[in-house]
Amino acid sequence: MSNYNWCHGPNCHTKETQSRVRGSGDNKVLRTIKIKQGRYNYSGRPELITYDDYFCGNHCLFDFIREHLTSIIAIAPRREALETPIKVEKTKEESYRYKWTENGSERVPYMATRTTIKNNS
Ligand SMILES: [Zn+2]
């Protein structure tokens, strides 16, 4: 048995595409796209739900986000910066810079500092 969702894009039913036209004669409408659940789920795990199950495309997803951004942010507001512990390793290495001269350029060596971030996890 297949389950379907209506696209959640707030303007889905206003986009002028052949796939949205329904009705007959003078009673035609543009209708919200009907989405088969799991249409792009190739994981073999039907319990995994993705936004593809609720939006016909990125335009409808972003229309929804724009319209409901305040509510979406309220679900999990970020009131403080998060931090990831790291170690920073600084090493000296020889490098070159180019100095312009009357005859073109010349390579001038100097000691550069390379900063490498080492993740603690
Ligand atoms: Zn849509």
Side-chain angles (χ1 to χ4, degrees):
M1 194 181 83
S2 294
N3 291 319
Y4 291 87
N5 291 322
W6 295 108
C7 175
H8 281 52
N11 306 315
C12 192
H13 66 291
T14 66
K15 299 187 191 303
E16 297 178 6
T17 65
Q18 292 296 320
S19 62
R20 289 175 170 84
V21 175
R22 293 292 182 276
S24 60
D26 291 336
N27 296 314
K28 292 206 185 299
V29 295
L30 293 170
R31 184 181 289 167
T32 300
I33 295 281
K34 192 178 189 181
I35 300 164
K36 186 180 181 201
Q37 283 184 355
R39 63 190 171 138
Y40 296 140
N41 184 349
Y42 305 117
S43 68
R45 296 174 57 198
E47 72 277 12
L48 292 179
I49 294 169
T50 70
Y51 63 85
D52 294 317
D53 292 328
Y54 293 92
F55 298 96
C56 70
N58 285 347
H59 53 279
C60 280
L61 170 63
F62 281 97
D63 284 350
F64 181 91
I65 292 171
R66 264 190 293 277
E67 186 163 311
H68 299 291
L69 186 59
T70 306
S71 302
I72 294 168
I73 295 299
I75 294 166
R78 168 97 53 242
R79 297 201 170 87
E80 296 173 1
L82 302 181
E83 295 181 346
T84 302
I86 57 167
K87 293 265 188 279
V88 174
E89 188 180 279
K90 287 189 184 280
T91 52
K92 294 278 186 190
E93 58 187 56
E94 190 165 317
S95 188
Y96 298 91
R97 61 172 60 103
Y98 289 87
K99 179 179 167 187
W100 292 98
T101 65
E102 287 174 12
N103 304 320
S105 63
E106 98 187 26
R107 240 163 78 122
V108 182
Y110 76 103
M111 290 307 286
T113 304
R114 175 185 292 271
T115 302
T116 308
I117 293 173
K118 305 276 188 187
N119 199 321
N120 268 355
S121 59

